[in-house]
Amino acid sequence: MTILTHTLTLAQERGALDRLIFGNQVGNSNFVESHDWLFMFIFWLCVLMFVVLMGAAAYFTLKYRYKPGVPQQRSASHNTPLELAWSIGPLIVMAFLFVWGFQGFMDAHVAPSGSEIVNVQAQKWAWNLEYDNGATTREFTTDLFGEEGQGKQVPVFAVPAGRPIKLQMISSDVIHSFWVPSFRMKFDVFPNRYTTMWFEAQTPTGPDPKDGLFLFCAEYCGAEHSQMAGIIKVLDPHDYNKWKQEMGVDTRPPVEKGASLYVTKACNSCHSVDGTPNTGPTWLDLFGKDRVFTNGSTGVADENYIRESILEPARNIVEGYPNQMNSYQGQLTEAEIRSLIAYMKTLSEAGRAALTPEETTSSEESEGAEEPESGA
Amino acid sequence: MSSTHNATADAHAGGHDDHHDVSYLKPKGGMMVTIWDWMTTIDHKKIGVMYLFASLFAFFLGGVFALLVRLELFAPDVATLDAAGNPIIQGQIFNPDLYNRFFTLHGAIMVFLFIIPAIPAALGNFCLPLMLGAKDVAFPKLNLTSWYIYVVGAIFSVVAIALGGVDTGWTFYTPYSLDTPEEHWQVTFMTLGVFILGFSSIFTGMNFVVTVHKLRAPGLGWFDMPLFVWAIYATAIIQVLATPVLGVTVLLLALERIFKIGIFDPSLGGDPVLYQHFFWFYSHPAVYIMILPGMGIMSELIGVHSRKKVFGYRAVAFSSLGIAAISFIVWGHHMFTSQDALIGAIFSALTFLVAIPSAIKVINWIATLYKGSIRFNTPMLYGLAFLFTFSIGGLTGLFLGTLSTDMQLHDSYFVVAHFHYVMMGGAAIALFGGIHHWWPKMFGKMYNEPAAMLGCALVFIGFNVTFFTQFFLGTQGMPRRYSTYVQEFTTLHQISTIGSWILLAGFLVHLATFIHSLMAGKQAPPNPWGGLSLEWETASPPIEHNFHHEPVVHYGPYDFDDAVPPFCDPADYPLPDPLPPGEKSH
């Protein structure tokens, strides 16, 4: 009974079928109307064809079942006009599907002039959006995977409502695919070329990431493919500009910036900060420690060693770990490398002792607005 | 004419001293002698049976991986906190690396070791010469060669699995497949396995093309052939023409991994999308290598068990060739989200064309039921199940062929559900229908009909519970190849996993039925279903050389209105009144 009431409530709210098909997150872009209309058109077309076909099959099967001793009736074994009809009929319907699908497809491929360009960097296993003022997000949520904030940290990005955004996308390793189901749009992200997609979000979802839209990676990319996610929150243009300004003017102390970069640059995919072994060495108690390398040499994990490990990771590989890390040359500014080093210092006794005042205090001028020499 | 055949069958049953007249299954001597005989046999029936057991074993192995995948997806991952309060993310049961290996192996085994060889190489090998009234395929030694090539290819793949497995997905997309760490030489091993398996497929295809052209019995014209033969013929053409491209592709992939040439690897100046074009240029036609033989089985099941000439025989036959031809020009619809817009549009238009011959087949099968005399047995139940599941598989293809809806559904669970409805709901359901249809012929034993029907019902229910839910997962935004997911998707995933257990129960019932049939099944008559194609004119199991004398064809494979089936009691298969003189049968 409660299930029935529940179902009825759902049906009144948004329609149970609508909810079953399009999920809890409502569509929120300029593509939703035409996509959902075409989807539902094909859906009802399929239901109709399926019911007619299966109805006929069921009716014939029951009506003409074998009765002992009764011979079957003679009937035609072909009928050219009928056969032509059911060959050409579907062809006409499909011509319409093609044309409508093509129209939507071309709309999705051609961004309106004046779209705001946002750069997307994809890597195993994180998304990073870089806005036109150089801003990147500093907002994260842990609610996506696991209960009550215990899951992996994923970034939260903002987009404006009612203004077209054109994404210019590049990957630094394998193929990824940028998919926001509520936008009804996705496109693959390649390591050797820019691909673009555009959208115009419609309704603000508010500042709380809990109400934001899912961003998924739709092209298989390895171990953490399923958690290469993000949250897109749609803000009204005014709030969006404010958010972008805030993110652009990063006055946080380097140690905090480093903690953000740890997530946005996907360091957390391979390096833990709690001592857990992973693909790469943990950062806990790393700074200041003696390292033994696979080539037999040794060294101390100081600032220069960390910088070298980020930019030329293959030069010295710590004993017991695979040579798997890609170089971050060109993907981090010097300021960002310094922030990461500062963050790593906070994770060890020796490091905390070595922290300089500059590393722990906020700066007034914007450093985050620096343009990274990406693609260099 | 059936009475004369009855006499020979009786003589055969009474024991014949000529060794050519004994069942092909009769052991040649002691165990070692028998094993050696099977290992060196050039008898298409024995090779077909070996393929059948090998591919069913592959189906079991791929099925185990599928169940593990579903088990992991029963619930999303739970993150636990370590002492410092940071989340540790582990798989719910298996860690993501292991999960990625499971779904890769599930796909690779099911495609390369199960579906591609199962119907053509197992049932095709067994039935094709019998249906044509031939003693064997055109090149029996080549047939044995392709069996051993299959075994070698399978060993390569199994070794790659046993030594750690592959995590690239069965598509081996670059640069991921090039990027995985050096020690993952299993990828190279697995692709070489696929390369070798390709040759087996090519040889079988060549063999069948020549067999159909050259070895038809006297009087068996092209349009007197059973539709299963037409489907196998169309499949064989695709196998011969498309498989070499797969060989080239995986060879280039292996060379790229070993010598770093720069064909597909963007860091060396290669193009990863080029790989996708190469791969799907084979793998899309391969989809039809998988489904066309299943469609051929369907024509037999529906025709024989409803005792009707398959409606629009010529349209069904030509639609097989049409599908084979169109299958070569639609590969780009796997890349709507990665290629140029113009190319995408062209491929979308071409893709809709391939829907037509498939639709013609389904509608013609349904029209065949009209005014039939339908008998409910396991093969027919599977035939009806196929109509249901394959229709869903075909219709949902419309969403994916339409460009703008594919932009949303591409690489989502909708695609997973769609191709399972075609590959499993189509090809595998047809295969199991075909196995039950020809089981009495292959092994000379009947099976327990109620048990087999129960198995069929469980498979049908389990299949739909497992995969119908996945359409909604896809439209709601669940991407494929995810080892975990956001909590919204939990309920649907759980229903799907429960479905996979029902499916398992169905196949276990079948396994028990098969074993029971082999151990204690009733002796099968030569023609248990009242079929008219030539394989029913010989003993069950067939004698070593298939027929005592070269059969002469007097009626078409579906002329149920006019011919009493051989070895059958005419009372069981009453004929309609003869046509008034001067009127022609349709």
Side-chain angles (χ1 to χ4, degrees), chain B residues 70 73-76 485 489-499:
Chain B
R70 285 303 335 154
L73 292 175
F74 190 73
Y485 45 86
F489 302 134
T490 311
T491 314
L492 287 171
H493 269 301
Q494 287 184 345
I495 297 172
S496 180
T497 301
I498 291 167

Side-chain angles (χ1 to χ4, degrees), chain A residues 298-315:
Chain A
T298 56
V300 178
D302 58 7
E303 284 93 339
N304 277 321
Y305 163 74
I306 293 169
R307 186 171 183 282
E308 179 201 273
S309 298
I310 292 172
L311 298 178
E312 294 172 83
R315 186 182 284 184

Side-chain angles (χ1 to χ4, degrees), chain A residues 19-25 35 38-39 42-43 45-46 49-50 53-54 56-57 60-62 64-67 69-79 82-83 86-87 90-91 94 97-98 100-102 104-106 109 124 144-147 150-152 173-175 177 179-188 190-193 214 216-228 273-274 276 322 324 326, chain B residues 77 79 82 86-87 89 96-97 100 103 167-168 173-176 179 181 266 270-273 276 307-312 315 336-339 341 345 348-349 352 355-356 360 363-364 366-367 369-376 384 387-388 391-392 395 398-399 402-405 407-412 472 474-488 560-562 572 574-579 586:
Chain A
R19 193 174 281 265
L20 178 65
I21 291 177
F22 297 112
N24 291 333
Q25 294 198 341
H35 169 278
L38 187 53
F39 184 97
I42 304 175
F43 177 82
L45 180 75
C46 287
M49 283 160 75
F50 187 73
L53 290 175
M54 289 309 108
F60 293 160
T61 314
L62 293 176
Y64 301 113
R65 64 187 184 278
Y66 166 67
K67 296 170 192 99
V70 180
Q72 70 261 34
Q73 298 154 269
R74 280 180 193 277
S75 65
S77 66
H78 69 95
N79 181 328
L82 205 57
E83 287 175 66
W86 66 50
S87 309
L91 198 61
M94 281 172 210
L97 292 188
F98 167 72
W100 288 332
F102 179 66
F105 185 67
M106 287 321 288
H109 265 270
K124 289 185 209 167
L144 220 48
F145 301 100
E147 288 192 57
Q150 298 189 354
K152 180 187 171 178
D173 38 49
V174 299
I175 305 173
S177 186
W179 186 24
V180 181
S182 298
F183 289 169
R184 311 284 190 256
M185 186 50 53
K186 73 164 70 65
F187 211 82
D188 291 4
F190 289 95
N192 64 335
R193 68 185 67 158
F214 297 131
F216 293 128
C217 174
E219 182 67 58
Y220 173 69
C221 59
E224 283 179 41
H225 168 53
S226 46
Q227 300 191 15
M228 181 170 166
V273 288
D274 58 18
T276 320
Q324 185 156 8
N326 291 330
Chain B
D77 289 359
D82 67 357
N86 294 305
I89 296 152
D97 268 326
N100 292 342
F103 83 70
D167 73 338
T168 59
Y173 265 21
T174 56
Y176 186 81
D179 216 51
D271 185 355
V273 182
Q276 298 181 9
R307 310 210 63 69
K308 282 265 88 164
K309 180 161 187 169
V310 174
F311 193 87
F336 285 161
T337 65
S338 58
Q339 72 199 350
S348 168
F352 281 118
I356 303 297
I360 289 175
I363 298 173
N364 281 333
I366 292 173
L369 298 172
Y370 176 68
K371 291 197 174 176
S373 171
I374 296 158
R375 291 164 202 242
F376 291 98
L384 296 173
L387 285 179
F388 187 93
S391 296
I392 295 179
L395 288 170
L398 295 179
F399 295 91
T402 305
L403 284 161
S404 62
T405 42
M407 297 301 278
Q408 170 77 346
L409 299 171
H410 181 86
D411 269 332
S412 78
F472 298 113
T475 56
Q476 291 187 10
M478 171 81 199
R480 21 181 332 198
R481 295 174 167 179
Y482 266 29
S483 61
T484 186
Y485 45 86
V486 295
Q487 304 209 333
E488 324 269 312
F560 299 104
D561 284 349
D562 302 309
D572 288 341
L575 295 177
D577 297 332
L579 285 168
H586 291 281

Side-chain angles (χ1 to χ4, degrees), chain A residues 4 9 71 78 81 86 102 108 144-145 159 171 190 218 228 247-248 257 289 352 354 371:
Chain A
L4 187 67
T9 328
H78 69 95
W86 66 50
F102 179 66
L144 220 48
F145 301 100
V159 298
S171 159
F190 289 95
M228 181 170 166
M247 296 301 153
K257 287 182 198 165
K289 212 177 180 181
R352 283 188 286 273
E371 189 78 24

Side-chain angles (χ1 to χ4, degrees), chain B residues 198-523:
Chain B
F199 278 95
S200 163
S201 193
I202 294 169
F203 288 168
T204 304
M206 274 169 27
N207 218 337
F208 287 178
V209 169
V210 179
T211 307
V212 171
H213 274 273
K214 305 305 284 184
L215 296 186
R216 301 193 309 279
L220 191 74
W222 280 88
F223 294 108
D224 301 320
M225 297 196 308
L227 286 162
F228 180 63
V229 175
W230 272 100
I232 290 286
Y233 177 72
T235 309
I237 291 173
I238 309 180
Q239 284 178 304
V240 171
L241 294 180
T243 319
V245 181
L246 176 73
V248 170
T249 311
V250 292
L251 201 61
L252 286 176
L253 187 68
L255 290 175
E256 179 86 335
R257 271 190 79 88
I258 299 165
F259 298 112
K260 309 270 178 227
I261 303 168
I263 312 161
F264 304 131
D265 187 350
S267 65
L268 301 168
D271 185 355
V273 182
L274 178 66
Y275 174 82
Q276 298 181 9
H277 280 286
F278 266 108
F279 181 81
W280 288 112
F281 188 84
Y282 164 74
S283 292
H284 195 81
V287 169
Y288 296 96
I289 294 179
M290 303 177 214
I291 189 64
L292 265 175
M295 291 169 158
I297 292 177
M298 267 303 284
S299 297
E300 299 307 309
L301 300 184
I302 297 285
V304 172
H305 298 282
S306 60
R307 310 210 63 69
K308 282 265 88 164
K309 180 161 187 169
V310 174
F311 193 87
Y313 172 98
R314 283 183 190 229
V316 175
F318 282 125
S319 65
S320 289
L321 295 182
I323 288 174
I326 302 172
S327 74
F328 280 95
I329 49 172
V330 298
W331 80 89
H333 69 217
H334 295 267
M335 289 170 281
F336 285 161
T337 65
S338 58
Q339 72 199 350
D340 187 73
L342 174 66
I343 302 177
I346 293 169
F347 277 119
S348 168
L350 293 170
T351 297
F352 281 118
L353 287 182
V354 89
I356 303 297
S358 307
I360 289 175
K361 280 178 187 281
V362 171
I363 298 173
N364 281 333
W365 290 324
I366 292 173
T368 305
L369 298 172
Y370 176 68
K371 291 197 174 176
S373 171
I374 296 158
R375 291 164 202 242
F376 291 98
N377 47 31
T378 315
M380 189 62 190
L381 273 195
Y382 266 112
L384 296 173
F386 180 102
L387 285 179
F388 187 93
T389 50
F390 183 74
S391 296
I392 295 179
L395 288 170
T396 51
L398 295 179
F399 295 91
L400 299 170
T402 305
L403 284 161
S404 62
T405 42
D406 183 73
M407 297 301 278
Q408 170 77 346
L409 299 171
H410 181 86
D411 269 332
S412 78
Y413 259 69
F414 191 92
V415 176
V416 177
H418 162 72
F419 71 70
H420 278 94
Y421 264 90
V422 178
M423 296 290 91
M424 179 150 190
I429 294 265
L431 170 71
F432 274 86
I435 291 176
H436 284 94
H437 183 70
W438 283 299
W439 182 271
K441 181 58 63 185
M442 290 178 112
F443 300 105
K445 296 285 177 77
M446 297 306 287
Y447 47 82
N448 185 318
E449 194 71 64
M453 285 166 96
L454 171 72
C456 174
L458 286 173
V459 167
F460 179 72
I461 295 166
F463 172 80
N464 282 296
V465 172
T466 308
F467 293 106
F468 202 73
T469 42
Q470 296 185 1
F471 285 117
F472 298 113
L473 277 172
T475 56
Q476 291 187 10
M478 171 81 199
R480 21 181 332 198
R481 295 174 167 179
Y482 266 29
S483 61
T484 186
Y485 45 86
V486 295
Q487 304 209 333
E488 324 269 312
F489 302 134
T490 311
T491 314
L492 287 171
H493 269 301
Q494 287 184 345
I495 297 172
S496 180
T497 301
I498 291 167
S500 73
W501 300 334
I502 305 175
L503 203 46
L504 171 69
F507 284 119
L508 288 179
V509 170
H510 278 326
L511 180 66
T513 321
F514 290 153
I515 292 173
H516 175 264
S517 166
L518 290 178
M519 314 270 292
K522 251 181 24 197
Q523 177 68 38

Side-chain angles (χ1 to χ4, degrees), chain A residues 161-172:
Chain A
R163 259 169 45 190
I165 293 284
K166 181 180 177 182
L167 301 178
Q168 182 165 289
M169 308 187 288
I170 192 88
S171 159
S172 56

